[in-house]
């Protein structure tokens, strides 16, 4: 059973940056793809980004492409989400997800089998 703990959320002004971290434990981190989803109040959960087990392939939602960067450090069992040029519409709880596959042949997932508790990101206008 994988355990995921997110950190790095907070309050930032529009145009600012934040970096989220997700520390994983409980299984071989480097074997599996990881990603981020977000959910704003009153809205459905939304895919944000995913990264293959080796870090060689990355996937982004159109809404964050060019502004967000997902990366991972397999030596530290940690996945990151660098968020730049933040907008008020990025406000949401961001949750780290762990998959049971190493990469995505048909494109990124809509969901992940395992989740962290989430970290709040609030972008003020």
């Amino acid at each position: 059973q994988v355990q995921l703990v997110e950190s790095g959320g907070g309050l930032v002004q529009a145009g600012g940056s934040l970096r989220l971290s997700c520390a994983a434990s409980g299984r071989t981190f480097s074997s599996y793809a990881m990603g981020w989803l977000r959910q704003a109040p009153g809205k459905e959960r939304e895919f944000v980004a995913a990264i293959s087990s080796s870090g060689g392939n990355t996937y982004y939602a159109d809404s964050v492409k060019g502004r967000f960067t997902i990366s991972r450090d397999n030596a530290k069992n940690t996945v990151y989400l660098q968020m730049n040029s933040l907008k008020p519409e990025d406000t949401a709880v961001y949750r780290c997800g762990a998959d049971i596959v190493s990469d995505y042949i048909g494109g990124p997932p809509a969901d992940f089998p395992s989740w962290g508790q989430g970290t709040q990101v609030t972008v003020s206008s």
Side-chain angles (χ1 to χ4, degrees), residues 5-124:
V5 179
E6 301 96 335
S7 61
L11 173 64
V12 64
Q13 288 187 333
S17 299
L18 283 174
R19 188 174 84 153
L20 306 183
S21 299
C22 172
S25 61
R27 68 173 191 183
T28 305
F29 179 79
S30 60
S31 295
Y32 302 100
M34 300 286 294
W36 294 89
L37 296 181
R38 67 186 182 187
Q39 188 164 18
K43 295 187 178 181
E44 293 188 354
R45 190 163 55 223
E46 175 189 19
F47 168 80
V48 176
I51 187 167
S52 63
S53 60
S54 68
N57 291 325
T58 56
Y59 309 86
Y60 297 96
D62 288 343
S63 59
V64 307
K65 202 170 293 183
R67 300 187 298 122
F68 291 11
T69 303
I70 188 171
S71 61
R72 65 190 295 160
D73 185 337
N74 286 344
K76 295 183 178 179
N77 289 1
T78 301
V79 62
Y80 304 98
L81 186 68
Q82 177 67 43
M83 306 186 294
N84 298 330
S85 302
L86 283 161
K87 304 175 181 179
E89 51 263 44
D90 294 318
T91 295
V93 174
Y94 284 70
R95 300 179 74 179
C96 173
D99 217 316
I100 56 173
V101 299
S102 61
D103 203 351
Y104 305 106
I105 297 175
D111 208 335
F112 295 95
S114 300
W115 291 97
Q117 291 297 311
T119 185
Q120 176 70 46
V121 171
T122 303
V123 185
S124 63

